[in-house]
Amino acid sequence: MQEYVELGEELVFVAMGVASVIALAVFAERLIYYKKTLGKKNEDYLSEVRNSLQEEPEIHWKTDAGEESIYNRFIQFALKQLKLGRKGLDESLEGQILSEKLELEKRLPILNTLGNNAPFIGLLGTVLGVIKAFYGLGTLGSSGAEVVMRSISTALLATAAGLAVAIPVVMANNYFSRKAKVILQNLEILKKELLSYQMNKTKV
């Protein structure tokens, strides 16, 4: 049994290492994506578009925010759909918002899963370490106190590793989820303003 317990401990630390690498990779990829999606140029472009909807009779927006800007994609898509009726434009823009939502939330479930389960993996390592410690205590008696203490130390280290992975992962997931929520709310506002613009244009 001792061999299986030691193998389990090793697997726990390997799992934590793999989880850390995966979380770091997802964080870096999402950070780059959100940096392109947000940023000052994108916010300025959003303000420019919203002002144009209220002031200009005809709109042909150009931007230096880049094609990867979510607001630029949404507006360019909307311009192609303005010829549709109000209902058609509404459904079309709603579909585009859902499409952007999928892209914004891409890979976030990975962070959510790692953040929720990393502490339990660490706890498993702790349980295995305690089992190993008591097994050593039963086998070696009082003479094996040093071995027992090392086993308990390793067990507590597993818990610490689990928390060390989980806490920043949960923070990163919350950060990106909040950013996604803000972007989607802006798109909803743009949709309503575009529908209003399209209706006024039709009346004219």
Side-chain angles (χ1 to χ4, degrees), residues 29 34 47 53 92 97 101 103 108 130 133 138 144 167 173 181:
E29 188 274 334
Y34 276 80
S47 299
L53 284 169
S92 180
I97 289 175
K101 181 180 180 182
E103 188 63 30
L108 291 187
V130 171
I167 292 173
N173 185 57
K181 184 178 180 180

Side-chain angles (χ1 to χ4, degrees), residues 52-186:
S52 298
L53 284 169
Q54 300 172 9
E55 298 172 2
E56 298 180 13
E58 293 293 335
I59 47 178
H60 300 284
W61 296 294
K62 294 181 180 179
T63 177
D64 60 351
E67 294 182 358
E68 294 180 344
S69 166
I70 192 170
Y71 299 134
N72 182 40
R73 283 201 308 269
F74 186 77
I75 290 300
Q76 298 309 317
F77 175 83
L79 286 174
K80 298 176 183 178
Q81 308 299 319
L82 284 177
K83 60 181 181 294
L84 300 176
R86 180 178 176 82
K87 183 177 180 182
L89 181 61
D90 188 4
E91 293 178 352
S92 180
L93 294 180
E94 187 63 31
Q96 183 66 12
I97 289 175
L98 291 175
S99 176
E100 296 294 352
K101 181 180 180 182
L102 290 175
E103 188 63 30
L104 286 167
E105 295 178 349
K106 189 176 181 181
R107 299 188 181 88
L108 291 187
I110 297 176
L111 293 180
N112 188 46
T113 300
L114 291 177
N116 288 335
N117 292 285
F120 295 107
I121 298 174
L123 182 60
L124 175 61
T126 299
V127 171
L128 292 174
V130 171
I131 292 173
K132 181 180 177 181
F134 278 106
Y135 182 84
L137 184 62
T139 303
L140 302 175
S142 59
S143 61
E146 184 178 344
V147 175
V148 172
M149 295 303 293
R150 280 202 303 265
S151 298
I152 293 178
S153 176
T154 303
L156 295 176
L157 184 60
T159 298
L163 293 174
V165 172
I167 292 173
V169 167
V170 169
M171 291 176 63
N173 185 57
N174 291 340
Y175 172 79
F176 291 129
S177 296
R178 173 60 183 166
K179 291 292 184 184
K181 184 178 180 180
V182 171
I183 294 171
L184 291 172
Q185 287 176 340
N186 285 334

